Amino acid sequence: MSKPQLLIDTDPGVDDALAILMAYAHADIAGLSIVAGNVGLGHTVRNARTLVDLAGAATPVFAGCSTPLVRAADEDAAFVHGQDGFGDIGFAEPAAALADEPAALALLRLTHERPGELTLVALGPLTNLALALRLDPGLPGRVARLVVMGGAVTGHGNTGKVPAEFNVGFDPEAAHVVFEAFPAFDLVDWEATLRHAFDDAEFDRWLAAGDRRAAFFGKIMGAARRYNAKHDRCGVIAADALAMAVALDPSIVTRRETRAVAVELDGRLTRGATVVDWSARLGWPARANIVLEVDQIRFAAMVRRALGVPG
């Protein structure tokens, strides 16, 4: 069976790192388009290049948007991921090169060169995708699938605005553009990632049994684990890794609902919230395949392989 062919838009980020290691273990990656989000663009680009070095790959890295489309973001997630996004370990300058091409243009070019072949996996704020769509509305017709990690479908978000999830809340206008443009997409929301967290002790056993990828990930995840423990978030929450699992193998999904989803752009308390029409009252097209449950055993096996755990 041929490997999945991925184009990844991301803001690395600790959980992005695990997702990208999964992609290298299970798929071919056409490119990494990078956006600001978890931390600033300079850090996310550097972190992407660090991951390319770790994988021993030649994946092109494209720098994208350093700010949201319209309004400045209220916050980044450095308080979770560390100021540099990778736990403030102080890694050496990566050797992997940064491509000259802007991320939005690279997204368009690669999908023109390989129409219908690439699964687009969006692990960060959707700013690069929205800009690409404004330049070329035909983008959705050239993508095999779109998988988005974002949203909080019943309002249990993870930002300073109660209902909002970070990726959508960082750039709500961009999420609005993307959700309106794609006729269908898979949505892996924050709440699903909480339901699919890994037991801490079990994850520590994987880290101890893995190879240099596990050693790397064990280093960078320390700050995030300490933050989660202080804020009653149980287990190892691998948000972007769950979205990557769905991208790599759609059959891992055991329960989903297809519904209309919109993004609140104006609410004083609710800006950035994902609004789901669960009862089909509004007559909107149902575009989002909302992932509710996956096969946890298979998800765990994919993560273990990405960490180099034998067997």
Side-chain angles (χ1 to χ4, degrees):
M1 184 180 296
S2 61
K3 289 184 176 182
Q5 304 296 304
L6 305 182
L7 181 53
I8 304 173
D9 190 76
T10 178
D11 61 336
V14 174
D15 55 332
D16 306 75
L18 182 57
I20 292 167
L21 292 176
M22 289 172 64
Y24 277 118
H26 296 273
D28 293 327
I29 306 175
L32 296 171
S33 68
I34 310 303
V35 67
N38 284 321
V39 288
L41 185 67
H43 289 306
T44 57
V45 166
R46 179 186 171 115
N47 293 346
R49 294 168 55 221
T50 296
L51 290 167
V52 172
D53 282 357
L54 179 65
T59 311
V61 176
F62 307 99
C65 296
S66 61
T67 63
L69 289 181
V70 179
R71 303 187 198 176
D74 293 333
E75 60 183 359
D76 64 15
F79 57 92
V80 177
H81 297 263
Q83 293 302 309
D84 68 356
F86 269 6
D88 298 321
I89 302 302
F91 294 109
E93 177 68 20
L98 175 64
D100 292 335
E101 189 176 17
L105 298 183
L107 292 172
L108 297 178
R109 176 181 58 81
L110 289 167
T111 57
H112 272 293
E113 291 175 355
R114 302 177 62 180
E117 294 183 17
L118 298 172
T119 293
L120 181 53
V121 190
L123 303 177
L126 294 169
T127 318
N128 289 340
L129 273 66
L131 181 57
L133 284 162
R134 286 299 190 238
L135 292 169
D136 181 357
L139 173 63
R142 300 191 303 274
V143 172
R145 294 171 60 213
L146 170 64
V147 180
V148 174
M149 192 280 124
V153 299
T154 63
H156 294 76
N158 61 345
T159 71
K161 290 185 170 62
V162 174
E165 175 274 334
F166 179 81
N167 285 343
V168 172
F170 189 88
D171 193 346
E173 282 78 16
H176 167 76
V177 169
V178 173
F179 289 4
E180 289 288 306
F182 276 80
F185 59 95
D186 292 333
L187 185 66
V188 180
D189 85 312
W190 170 249
E191 296 160 17
T193 70
L194 295 178
R195 292 192 296 274
H196 292 87
F198 296 113
D199 176 77
D200 280 293
E202 181 179 20
F203 201 90
D204 285 336
R205 288 193 291 272
W206 300 348
L207 293 177
D211 60 16
R212 60 193 178 89
R213 293 167 290 179
F216 172 87
F217 191 70
K219 289 179 181 177
I220 68 171
M221 73 182 300
R225 291 184 85 171
R226 289 190 294 272
Y227 176 87
N228 288 339
K230 290 179 181 178
H231 292 81
D232 297 322
R233 293 179 179 175
C234 298
V236 175
I237 302 166
D240 292 327
L242 183 63
M244 184 59 70
V246 172
L248 291 167
D249 183 2
S251 72
I252 201 172
V253 179
T254 58
R255 188 165 69 96
R256 74 176 75 217
E257 297 282 352
T258 301
R259 295 289 187 271
V261 176
V263 180
E264 175 58 56
L265 302 179
D266 300 311
R268 181 173 64 87
L269 298 177
T270 58
R271 174 171 160 78
T274 41
V275 180
V276 182
D277 185 7
W278 289 109
S279 300
R281 298 173 183 173
L282 302 176
W284 300 341
R287 305 175 187 268
N289 300 309
I290 301 169
V291 174
L292 298 174
E293 302 290 342
V294 307
D295 185 324
Q296 187 74 358
I297 293 174
R298 290 169 62 191
F299 176 32
M302 296 169 81
V303 171
R304 287 197 302 271
R305 180 174 172 184
L307 296 173
V309 178

